[in-house]
Amino acid sequence: MEKPKVVLGISGGIAAYKACELLRRLTESGHDVRVVPTASALQFVGEATWSALSGNPASTEVWESVHEVPHVRIGQAADLVVVAPATADMLAKAAHGIADDLLTNTLLTARCPVIFAPAMHTEMWEHPATQENVATLRRRGAVVIEPAVGRLTGVDTGKGRLPEPGEIFDVCRRVLARGAAGAEQDMAGLHVVVSAGGTREPLDPVRFIGNRSSGKQGYALARTAVARGARVTLVAANTTGLPDPAGVDVLPVGTAVQLREAVLKAAADADAVVMAAAVADFRPARYAEGKIKKQEGVEPEPIALVRNPDVLAEISADRARAGQVIVGFAAETDDVLANGRAKLARKRCDLLVVNEVGERRTFGSEENEAVVLGADGSETPVPFGPKEALADTVWDLVRARIR
Ligand code: CTP
């Protein structure tokens, strides 16, 4: 089988050095990569590095090997174009169809999926000019990965950092896989909110009541939605072990009350909300400001609990937007389907993903098996498989219900 052809465009930003790692991952996983740097990208990382790592020539100008008509051929032949880093200047050129070097020509001739991974200073990213260019590119079907928040060049921190190469690679892999299925970018223009992880309800400064949710299913939902072109807000409850998925706005929270606040705010303009987080139904009635100490010969006090708000029921009953689709998750140990149906009716959401849980199933694993129940009476079984496959099924069902 022929290797998938990937064009890796590099524009002139310091994050170009991180693209070397992305290039290595692409070639090592069996992609035929052609690097097309801009002239300013070569100020940061030289031609020799790109051609050595890719095993292909890395040209910048349309005037090299003219007999091969590279300014047309490279784009036409590509299965995927990924521009990482994409500077503000590159986004502007791409949005306006300017073609003054090999990379911008390639972007005009490509008919395959295109991914931009922007990296720039926060001010440049937030400037209305850049934001409008990003909106234009997204409207046309390009995947523009949200920049990460963190250390920028020099001492600044903020939004604008290139996501980790592994995360960009992950988006490439997914976009390529779905491109072959002919279903890429079917969530472009949608804003979705996903909650993930498990809340922790503190008893004192060092102890909490928590649960075993790892957050992996919620992260899989976030990643697949990005690959399908959606704008994703991920409300992440205590998921410290998991890297931020590329292109996702991650809002870390701790308790159920904090999660409620973040979800309600993000849901205001969302087309869909998926509540994959395990939210504690109760919290300790009292929080001890100082650490609770054991006392010799004294039995411990029982822990009094009070109810937490039910976020899923609340957002379902009072929708932030007409036609918003709301999905809940339910982990059940017995009478899985009957309990699921009852819960779906009680919470008034549109879809409920029901898993059967046990000691080794679901929590922390990479796989999942579920049935997705619809308020319309539908029942979609999802066989045992990767959490991403379940995520894609959830998005298929959500999409079919968005008005
Ligand atoms: N959920 C929520 N707010 C809560 C509790 C749960 O939004 N305070 C959401 C979860 O994110 C999940 C669904 O509701 O989508 C799970 O329902 P829940 O009633 O919590 O399930 P269980 O705790 O398993 O309920 P029960 O004890 O009734 O089985």
Side-chain angles (χ1 to χ4, degrees):
M1 241 178 54
E2 231 186 276
K3 289 181 175 179
K5 287 191 170 54
V6 176
V7 173
L8 174 58
I10 317 281
S11 53
I14 181 65
Y17 78 91
K18 287 194 190 171
C20 300
E21 174 65 20
L22 173 62
L23 171 56
R24 245 173 37 82
R25 289 200 182 219
L26 286 165
T27 51
E28 281 173 7
S29 53
H31 300 87
D32 178 12
V33 188
R34 176 86 194 236
V35 181
V36 184
T38 63
S40 32
L42 295 180
Q43 298 282 333
F44 293 96
V45 179
E47 192 272 337
T49 301
W50 301 123
S51 49
L53 285 177
S54 68
N56 280 317
S59 24
T60 298
E61 294 303 330
V62 293
W63 310 117
E64 294 158 36
S65 318
V66 176
H67 62 287
E68 290 169 2
V69 207
H71 74 290
V72 179
R73 291 279 160 74
I74 294 175
Q76 280 177 338
D79 297 302
L80 176 74
V81 178
V82 50
V83 184
T87 57
D89 179 64
M90 178 52 58
L91 295 174
K93 283 181 175 161
H96 291 86
I98 292 170
D100 58 359
D101 64 3
L102 188 56
L103 179 53
T104 44
N105 272 275
T106 299
L107 287 169
L108 279 186
T109 50
R111 292 295 174 270
C112 57
V114 178
I115 301 170
F116 292 93
M120 64 197 72
H121 267 78
T122 312
E123 291 82 358
M124 298 175 95
W125 171 251
E126 286 175 351
H127 195 285
T130 305
Q131 286 301 307
E132 276 172 34
N133 291 331
V134 168
T136 301
L137 291 167
R138 284 187 174 147
R139 202 172 51 245
R140 292 190 197 133
V143 177
V144 184
I145 300 177
E146 284 293 307
V149 175
R151 181 89 188 266
L152 304 170
T153 329
V155 293
D156 317 10
T157 58
K159 189 163 184 171
R161 217 175 123 88
L162 189 74
E164 290 312 307
E167 290 298 318
I168 303 173
F169 171 67
D170 215 63
V171 177
C172 294
R173 208 169 47 76
R174 251 170 265 277
V175 169
L176 264 174
R178 288 195 67 84
E184 79 275 15
Q185 301 306 290
D186 60 347
M187 291 173 67
L190 299 181
H191 175 211
V192 300
V193 177
V194 177
S195 71
T199 61
R200 289 179 181 177
E201 308 299 327
L203 284 153
D204 70 12
V206 292
R207 304 180 180 98
F208 58 81
I209 298 177
N211 61 68
R212 294 172 56 190
S213 176
S214 67
K216 286 181 181 166
Q217 183 62 61
Y219 276 58
L221 281 155
R223 286 205 176 91
T224 46
V226 167
R228 292 169 70 161
R231 178 160 77 82
V232 182
T233 307
L234 179 64
V235 178
N238 307 298
T239 54
T240 34
L242 302 176
D244 286 357
V248 171
D249 258 327
V250 182
L251 309 177
V253 295
T255 64
V257 169
Q258 290 167 353
L259 181 138
R260 172 181 175 272
E261 203 171 303
V263 167
L264 254 52
K265 195 159 168 234
D269 71 342
D271 298 284
V273 183
V274 181
M275 289 290 298
V279 185
D281 292 319
F282 306 100
R283 66 176 180 274
R286 272 187 313 115
Y287 172 72
E289 298 287 342
K291 188 179 163 203
I292 302 167
K293 303 289 277 181
K294 61 180 166 301
Q295 289 173 30
E296 263 338 297
V298 181
E299 285 304 305
E301 293 269 319
I303 298 171
L305 299 173
V306 292
R307 255 193 188 287
N308 267 331
D310 186 326
V311 186
L312 178 61
E314 184 177 346
I315 59 174
S316 299
D318 186 12
R319 309 254 169 161
R321 280 171 88 163
Q324 187 176 63
V325 178
I326 296 179
V327 186
F329 270 69
E332 302 288 346
T333 50
D334 339 83
D335 278 340
V336 178
L337 287 185
N339 279 333
R341 275 276 161 225
K343 194 169 284 180
L344 176 68
R346 203 164 61 238
K347 304 246 183 181
R348 295 164 66 183
C349 50
D350 302 289
L351 295 162
L352 189 76
V353 183
V354 189
N355 316 112
E356 189 173 349
V357 289
E359 268 302 303
R360 286 212 324 279
R361 299 176 78 166
T362 307
F363 293 115
S365 80
E366 303 298 332
E367 279 97 21
N368 211 342
E369 179 181 7
V371 178
V372 188
L373 303 177
D376 50 10
S378 66
E379 201 173 299
T380 312
V382 185
F384 185 78
K387 288 187 169 175
E388 281 158 18
L390 172 57
D392 269 323
T393 304
V394 169
W395 294 127
D396 289 343
L397 295 168
V398 164
R399 239 177 50 82
R401 284 163 177 77
I402 288 178
R403 272 181 284 124

